[in-house]
Amino acid sequence: MTGYQQFNGKHCIHKTNAILGQHSRFFFQKLERKLLVSGRKNIILTRNKKYHAKDAFIAHSIHEALKLTGDDPYPYIIGGGEIYSLFLPIADKIELTRIHKTFEGDAFFPEIDMTKWILHSSETNNSSTDQPYNYSFLTYTTY
């Protein structure tokens, strides 16, 4: 989570808006990760018109979610897979943490079309006592 929490020092996740799907919110809660971060607006994108959350704003469309970010030019899209797929066509930057291990799961980041994206920077990190797997921080930008 270190890279996610303070990605590159230029644009800290704690001081920006975060857009995520309803199921990702449940995942954070299951891991007992605190979703609400001081100074950050959390926006849950869901099709469920009856969904409410006391610690987040609710949006039912991409347009509504982006409107809730106000004047934040770089809201973070933090998942899950369907939310990534919805926002990828309008994104101009991807800050991705790639864990160098294969996991079973039901949601994944979509394939990156390398005809539209270029790898701008890459930082590889070895496993440690805190992080059991090798991982990389990758930044892609559009051509």
Side-chain angles (χ1 to χ4, degrees):
M1 280 301 246
T2 303
Y4 168 78
Q5 292 170 346
Q6 55 189 14
F7 200 85
N8 62 13
K10 296 176 188 165
H11 188 67
C12 181
I13 185 69
H14 291 298
K15 298 191 178 13
T16 189
N17 295 296
I19 300 172
L20 67 155
Q22 178 181 338
H23 297 288
S24 292
R25 180 178 191 273
F26 293 143
F27 176 74
F28 276 95
Q29 289 175 325
K30 186 176 178 182
L31 291 177
E32 299 180 8
R33 300 246 194 260
K34 188 174 180 184
L35 176 65
L36 185 61
V37 174
S38 178
R40 182 176 89 188
K41 185 186 292 184
N42 296 286
I43 302 162
I44 298 170
L45 182 57
T46 179
R47 289 184 293 265
N48 183 348
K49 300 286 185 187
K50 296 179 182 180
Y51 184 77
H52 297 284
K54 64 181 179 180
D55 60 352
F57 294 84
I58 307 300
H60 301 289
S61 69
I62 294 173
H63 175 74
E64 189 178 349
L66 290 173
K67 190 173 180 181
L68 284 168
T69 66
D71 61 355
D72 183 352
Y74 301 108
Y76 270 68
I77 311 304
I78 60 174
E82 187 175 345
I83 302 301
Y84 291 135
S85 293
L86 289 171
F87 280 92
L88 194 57
I90 62 171
D92 59 10
K93 185 177 188 181
I94 301 170
E95 293 184 5
L96 179 72
T97 302
R98 175 162 286 149
I99 301 170
H100 302 280
K101 178 164 176 38
T102 302
F103 295 93
E104 289 188 34
D106 59 358
F108 300 92
F109 192 85
E111 286 291 321
I112 297 172
D113 181 350
M114 296 310 290
T115 64
K116 297 178 181 176
W117 295 91
I118 186 167
L119 181 60
H120 181 72
S121 65
S122 175
E123 176 188 329
T124 301
N125 299 276
N126 293 321
S127 62
S128 66
T129 55
D130 293 337
Q131 300 289 339
Y133 308 109
N134 294 340
Y135 60 99
S136 298
F137 296 133
L138 307 169
T139 299
Y140 293 89
T141 54
T142 54
Y143 277 104

